[in-house]
Amino acid sequence: MAQAIDTIQERLWRRGVLFRTIRDYFFLEEVVEVDTPILSQFGNPDPALLNFVTTYHGPGEYYRAPFYLITSPEYHMKRLLAQGLGSCYYLGKVFRDGELSGRHNPEFTMLEWYRLGYDLEKLMEEVILLTKILTDLPLEVERVTYREAFLTYLQIDPFTATLDELEAILASNKIDLTFTLRDRDEALDLIVSHLIEPRFNPHKLTLLYHYPASQASLSKIVEVDGQLVGKRFELYWKGLELANGYEELTHAEEQRKRFEAENKKRVACGMPAVPIDELLLESLDQLPFCSGVALGVDRLLMAIEQTKEIEMVIPFGWEDA
């Protein structure tokens, strides 16, 4: 007998059940749901991310000012945390220009949450727990440091390898280098996405952690085995990157330096600099000790449904919006 075709009602029912399960989990944990703006006067300076930009035409001082669709609710959530909100989560839309493929939609659903008093390790445990609840599977877990992954799969130390050595690895594995790599981090990112991620066991939850300090983003930096690393992790399952988490930096001046460095990288590669979020920086020194993580809900559904097309788990694809 032929298998019945999965209907749009069945697919979206399962999506709704996942949303309900997420909200039930955090309700029982007494983690408050927050609703942040999706338009902001500040952009995200990360050179790997592009904001959609629109213009305000109403009254007031912001007439004709640019506003940016958020790539993450992170900056607003941290301002709430600094005001004393406590552990919180966001489940809703975010937007990233220039990202469209089988696993990317420019508009997608993100689950982001912050836990007061959690270090990186405790947050990783919660990510594992919640993922097991949402998948309803007894998944095995593998934890590997960034350095261990490079040494295991490529016999090279990512903290000491030169750009020439990294380029040689990419070339020997026939990775397209028709463009010029800007720096070591760009080469490292290509190696992770093309040569390391595909070797993770797709049936296990893999946590890759302790990234180089140059890739710390908004996380704290600590010394481990003589190298400075960002207290950051990423979660992989079924060949998909699902989540990115940090033990959060709480030092405004250090964060300003990172934002300024990111804007310089943007300009160097022909992208416009974006306004730095001064409201976040005004709050960051009051941010309590916490860790936070962003999880791509649509990607998690792709892994659960075992589909390679993001359009199969969302109500409308990009071309149907």
Side-chain angles (χ1 to χ4, degrees), residues 297-317:
V297 175
D298 306 317
R299 287 244 186 121
L300 178 60
L301 274 165
M302 287 176 64
I304 293 170
E305 301 283 343
Q306 300 187 55
T307 178
K308 295 183 178 180
E309 297 297 328
I310 196 169
E311 288 192 0
M312 296 304 297
V313 298
I314 58 179
F316 294 96

Side-chain angles (χ1 to χ4, degrees), residues 90-282:
Y90 170 94
L91 179 60
K93 296 293 188 181
V94 295
F95 307 85
R96 296 182 181 180
D97 195 3
E99 298 188 7
L100 181 62
S101 71
R103 60 178 62 185
H104 296 91
N105 201 61
E107 174 187 321
F108 62 100
T109 300
M110 178 178 285
L111 168 64
E112 185 155 336
W113 76 93
Y114 292 84
R115 283 292 214 163
L116 266 62
Y118 277 38
D119 61 13
L120 192 72
E121 290 70 25
K122 191 170 182 180
L123 183 65
M124 287 195 288
E125 289 296 334
E126 183 168 55
V127 169
I128 292 166
L129 172 63
L130 182 56
T131 304
K132 288 182 176 181
I133 291 171
L134 296 176
T135 60
D136 195 24
L137 293 170
L139 297 168
E140 293 185 44
V141 179
E142 183 173 33
R143 296 172 178 81
V144 58
T145 69
Y146 193 93
R147 191 178 203 174
E148 288 169 346
F150 273 78
L151 290 171
T152 299
Y153 297 121
L154 299 169
Q155 295 76 54
I156 191 167
D157 189 334
F159 291 91
T160 59
T162 66
L163 179 56
D164 287 343
E165 290 171 328
L166 298 175
E167 286 180 334
I169 289 174
L170 290 165
S172 65
N173 285 276
K174 298 181 172 54
I175 306 301
D176 180 20
L177 287 178
T178 54
F179 59 93
T180 301
L181 290 169
R182 292 188 294 269
D183 54 31
R184 290 181 71 258
D185 284 319
E186 192 168 34
L188 290 169
D189 283 345
L190 275 175
I191 290 172
V192 169
S193 61
H194 287 74
L195 303 178
I196 291 179
E197 287 179 26
R199 302 192 192 191
F200 292 151
N201 186 327
H203 304 295
K204 293 182 178 180
L205 294 177
T206 300
L207 289 158
L208 183 68
Y209 66 102
H210 283 174
Y211 280 66
S214 56
Q215 298 179 30
S217 191
L218 287 90
S219 70
K220 290 179 179 175
I221 293 174
V222 296
E223 185 174 329
V224 176
D225 296 330
Q227 298 292 340
L228 294 177
V229 302
K231 297 204 76 176
R232 169 188 170 194
F233 72 88
E234 291 192 352
L235 172 70
Y236 298 88
W237 183 49
K238 297 286 187 180
L240 292 167
E241 176 200 331
L242 299 180
N244 186 19
Y246 308 137
E247 188 172 308
E248 302 296 342
L249 179 67
T250 57
H251 192 285
E253 192 54 40
E254 170 62 23
Q255 189 60 68
R256 180 183 296 280
K257 291 177 182 177
R258 295 187 196 180
F259 282 161
E260 290 172 347
E262 287 179 329
N263 259 335
K264 287 180 181 178
K265 281 189 176 182
R266 291 176 69 90
V267 171
C269 60
M271 299 160 59
V274 298
I276 289 174
D277 192 333
E278 295 293 341
L279 296 177
L280 169 66
L281 294 178
E282 287 174 9

Side-chain angles (χ1 to χ4, degrees), residues 50-62:
L50 291 175
N51 288 98
F52 284 98
V53 187
T54 188
T55 304
Y56 173 67
H57 293 100
E61 63 177 299
Y62 292 105

